[in-house]
Amino acid sequence: MLTSRQKHCLQGMGISLWQSRPAGDLSSAAVMAKEVQTAYTDQQDSFEHITTATQSTPADLQPDHNPKQPAKTYDLSNWTGLTQSIEDCQNCTLAQSCTRKVPGKGYQEADLMIIGEAPGHEEDLQGRPFVGRAGQVLDKMLMAIEIDPQQVYVTNILKCRPPQNRDPQTHEVHACSSFLKAQIDLVNPKVIFSVGRISAQNLLQDTSPVGRLRGEQYHLPGTDIPLLVTYHPAYLLRNPIEKAKVWEDLKKLRRLIEHAAD
Ligand code: URA
């Protein structure tokens, strides 16, 4: 049974609550299955950094390296060094095209870490992840399972916005990878929730569509941190039929966090 608060949050997400259907009506499971078949195309990127690096020498790393930029070494094992290194980073050309760097937000000792794709327009202006429409949906998703969005740490695979929100390129993911690795080490979350195709494929090093990756429990490769995958909140805005599946993922997440806290 749902509490009235959960019902309210679910309605806020646009999720219709279950009602009995007349006999002969197409089952919602069949409708959802049809949606999944058409939902996603494959895309590959790599994320091999995730098991390495407590320090980075960003100016040395990538094809976009600007030879005029002197190489600096940053201590990524504390929040001050990490934040400064992201602010100073020129590892790839996104550093020049973005308005602001978007390191992360939230509680630095959170049990739950949420990893999205890359900043969008609003995030690029404000320098904070998930502050636009997708962020509002993400907050509602968390509140639906009675998790306070302020008690979670939120970041992205990329810390700079790609132009026109295009998909991150492999070398950009690599260029940002030591920052994400350092964030995970510092937060040391009990559970990671990966939202969207780009996040899931890069974290799991698996090019399967997100519709196939969700529903299973993983560990972040090279660690014992449990990881669940779900659809991106922005995708939900375009495909509200998938909200029922996200609700299943959220209930799984809630159970996993409770279990991890034991
Ligand atoms: N989408 C993301 O993946 N991250 C954000 O920060 C905003 C939108």
Side-chain angles (χ1 to χ4, degrees):
M1 277 299 278
L2 295 172
T3 63
S4 56
R5 180 176 158 77
Q6 283 175 314
K7 281 183 191 162
H8 179 74
C9 291
L10 288 172
Q11 275 157 354
M13 285 169 62
I15 293 181
S16 322
L17 302 176
W18 287 103
Q19 285 172 355
S20 54
R21 289 167 182 276
D25 197 1
L26 184 61
S27 79
S28 60
V31 173
M32 280 188 262
K34 196 156 183 288
E35 288 293 319
V36 149
Q37 283 163 14
T38 52
Y40 268 94
T41 54
D42 287 11
Q43 133 94 26
Q44 71 239 12
D45 272 324
S46 76
F47 200 64
E48 62 203 18
H49 71 284
I50 200 71
T51 53
T52 56
T54 52
Q55 289 203 325
S56 80
T57 51
D60 293 335
L61 284 176
Q62 293 304 323
D64 296 333
H65 164 224
N66 172 1
K68 288 185 216 134
Q69 188 80 10
K72 284 190 201 160
T73 302
Y74 299 94
D75 181 1
L76 303 188
S77 67
N78 64 74
W79 285 107
T80 309
L82 173 57
T83 306
Q84 194 56 52
S85 67
I86 294 172
E87 291 304 332
D88 289 357
C89 175
Q90 294 292 324
N91 285 358
C92 74
T93 51
L94 297 183
Q96 277 113 54
S97 60
C98 74
T99 311
R100 291 183 65 169
K101 304 288 179 64
V102 182
K105 72 172 182 187
Y107 182 41
Q108 294 175 341
E109 291 170 34
D111 286 348
L112 174 61
M113 185 163 182
I114 298 184
I115 304 178
E117 174 179 336
H121 174 67
E122 204 51 48
E123 290 77 19
D124 179 66
L125 294 178
Q126 294 191 35
R128 284 168 64 75
F130 283 100
V131 290
R133 284 184 72 211
Q136 288 165 16
V137 175
L138 182 62
D139 286 353
K140 283 179 183 160
M141 286 163 55
L142 294 172
M143 289 188 290
I145 50 168
E146 293 178 336
I147 291 177
D148 178 354
Q150 312 282 339
Q151 293 300 310
V152 166
Y153 190 81
V154 183
T155 190
N156 286 306
I157 297 282
L158 293 191
K159 313 307 183 205
C160 292
R161 182 191 184 203
Q164 282 82 49
N165 300 340
R166 64 155 170 75
D167 283 356
Q169 295 175 3
T170 303
H171 75 276
E172 293 162 352
V173 173
H174 282 177
C176 249
S177 64
S178 59
F179 301 138
L180 180 58
K181 160 70 178 147
Q183 287 173 313
I184 294 169
D185 284 347
L186 282 166
V187 175
N188 192 23
K190 293 202 167 79
V191 179
I192 291 178
F193 199 38
S194 166
V195 298
R197 170 176 61 90
I198 297 288
S199 170
Q201 291 183 341
N202 282 292
L203 291 173
L204 294 173
Q205 283 294 280
D206 186 325
T207 57
S208 305
V210 68
R212 211 173 296 148
L213 292 174
R214 63 161 290 280
E216 296 287 320
Q217 186 190 317
Y218 306 89
H219 286 96
L220 179 70
T223 77
D224 58 4
I225 305 172
L227 184 152
L228 290 180
V229 170
T230 198
Y231 291 109
H232 195 285
Y235 177 76
L236 284 188
L237 286 166
R238 300 190 301 273
N239 299 271
I241 186 108
E242 303 292 25
K243 286 178 181 173
K245 285 187 208 152
V246 171
W247 176 232
E248 292 306 311
D249 298 337
L250 287 167
K251 285 190 290 183
K252 223 174 248 167
L253 176 65
R254 176 80 234 177
R255 285 196 296 273
L256 192 55
I257 290 170
E258 277 164 10
H259 182 71
D262 289 343

